[in-house]
Amino acid sequence: MAFVHTLQTFFYPHIFFVTLLNSATIAATLAAGYTVSPQLLAEPWAWPFEHLGFLLFAVLISAIAVFLISGLLADSLANLIAKRRGRRDPEIQALNLIPPTVISLIGTILFGLAGDEPGKYGWPTFLVGLGFISYGFLATNSIGVVYVLECYPHMSGPALVNIGSFRSIIAFLIVFDVPEWIASMGYLRTFGIYMGLLGGFILFIPIIFMFGEGWRKRWPGPTERVDVNVVKE
C-alpha cells in the first residue's frame, strides 16, 4: 500500500510542483558544483589547487542564511499571516518559496556571466553566484517539504518518498551532460536553461497559493493515516 500511495501522490499538484522545483534547484546546484573548479583553476583567476576548498565558504554562508532567513524569518512570516487570516493554511508556505527561488535565479545569472567573462566580473561574482544557487536549493528543499507535509500530514511517508527520490532522477536528466554543454555553449547559455526553469516556477507559485486549497479538497488522499511501519496481522 505504501508503494500504491507513493504512485498516487506523485501526480497531486502540490507534490508534483515541489518535486519539479526541487529538481530544478538541485540541477542548478549540481551543474555549478561540477563546473566551478575548472574555471577557478584557469586563467585569469588561476587559483592554486590547494586553495579550492575555500570555495565551500560560499556554500557554508548560504547554509547559515537558510537557517536565519528561510527558517526563522520565514516561519515568523507564516505565523504572522496565519494570525491575520485567523487560520494557518499550507499555502502560506508556498509564498515562502518565492524568495529562495528568485535568489537561485539571480545566482544562475551571476554564475553564468562570471563564467563566460572571468576577466570582467572576477571570481567573487562567480562564488556569490554559487552561494545564491546553493541557498536556493537548501531553502526550497526545506520549505517545500514543510509545505507538502502541511498539505498531507496523513500521507507524509509517500509524499516524502516522492520528493526525495523523483527529484534526484529528474535533476540527473537535466544535468548529466552539463560539462559538454559548457564546452559547446558557454556558461551563460548553459545556465540560461536553469534560469528558464526557475523563472517558470516563480510564475507558478502564485497559482499554487490561489488554488492550493481547492486542490487539497479535490485530492485529499486516503482518510486514514498511512503508516508504513505498521504491519497488520
Side-chain angles (χ1 to χ4, degrees):
M1 288 306 299
F3 180 74
V4 171
H5 289 310
T6 298
L7 295 179
Q8 175 188 2
T9 57
F10 177 76
F11 295 102
Y12 285 8
H14 317 73
I15 299 175
F16 191 64
F17 170 76
V18 170
T19 301
L20 293 181
L21 175 60
N22 282 350
S23 300
T25 55
I26 289 176
T29 304
L30 292 176
Y34 290 160
T35 58
V36 62
S37 297
Q39 192 71 334
L40 290 174
L41 293 171
E43 295 292 341
W45 299 334
W47 276 33
F49 181 80
E50 60 270 19
H51 292 175
L52 278 180
F54 290 115
L55 68 87
L56 294 178
F57 275 110
V59 181
L60 175 62
I61 294 172
S62 68
I64 296 173
V66 168
F67 171 73
L68 296 175
I69 300 175
S70 294
L72 299 178
L73 183 60
D75 194 52
S76 299
L77 177 62
N79 291 334
L80 177 62
I81 297 176
K83 184 177 180 180
R84 291 185 175 181
R85 299 181 69 179
R87 68 183 190 278
R88 180 177 175 118
D89 295 324
E91 282 67 42
I92 297 175
Q93 289 292 347
L95 295 179
N96 284 328
L97 288 170
I98 295 177
T101 310
V102 171
I103 291 174
S104 184
L105 173 62
I106 295 173
T108 58
I109 296 173
L110 295 176
F111 195 86
L113 287 173
D116 266 357
E117 301 185 60
K120 180 178 179 180
Y121 292 97
W123 62 261
T125 304
F126 199 53
L127 293 187
V128 167
L130 174 66
F132 279 14
I133 293 171
S134 301
Y135 173 88
F137 158 59
L138 295 172
T140 55
N141 174 54
S142 57
I143 295 174
V145 167
V146 171
Y147 169 59
V148 168
L149 292 182
E150 289 190 9
C151 286
Y152 299 106
H154 59 297
M155 298 191 69
S156 56
L160 292 179
V161 168
N162 271 318
I163 297 173
S165 57
F166 287 107
R167 69 181 181 183
S168 300
I169 297 172
I170 298 172
F172 172 76
L173 295 176
I174 54 178
V175 79
F176 78 98
D177 212 25
V178 71
E180 284 71 20
W181 297 347
I182 293 289
S184 61
M185 298 189 298
Y187 277 86
L188 186 59
R189 292 181 63 186
T190 297
F191 279 84
I193 298 172
Y194 307 111
M195 295 176 206
L197 292 173
L198 294 171
F201 288 125
I202 292 171
L203 297 176
F204 197 79
I205 291 174
I207 298 176
I208 290 285
F209 179 75
M210 290 186 295
F211 298 101
E213 183 178 0
W215 290 343
R216 283 188 284 112
K217 293 179 179 178
R218 183 173 181 178
W219 294 284
T223 55
E224 76 281 0
R225 183 178 181 87
V226 178
D227 190 345
V228 297
N229 295 316
V230 175
V231 179
K232 296 181 179 179
E233 294 293 342

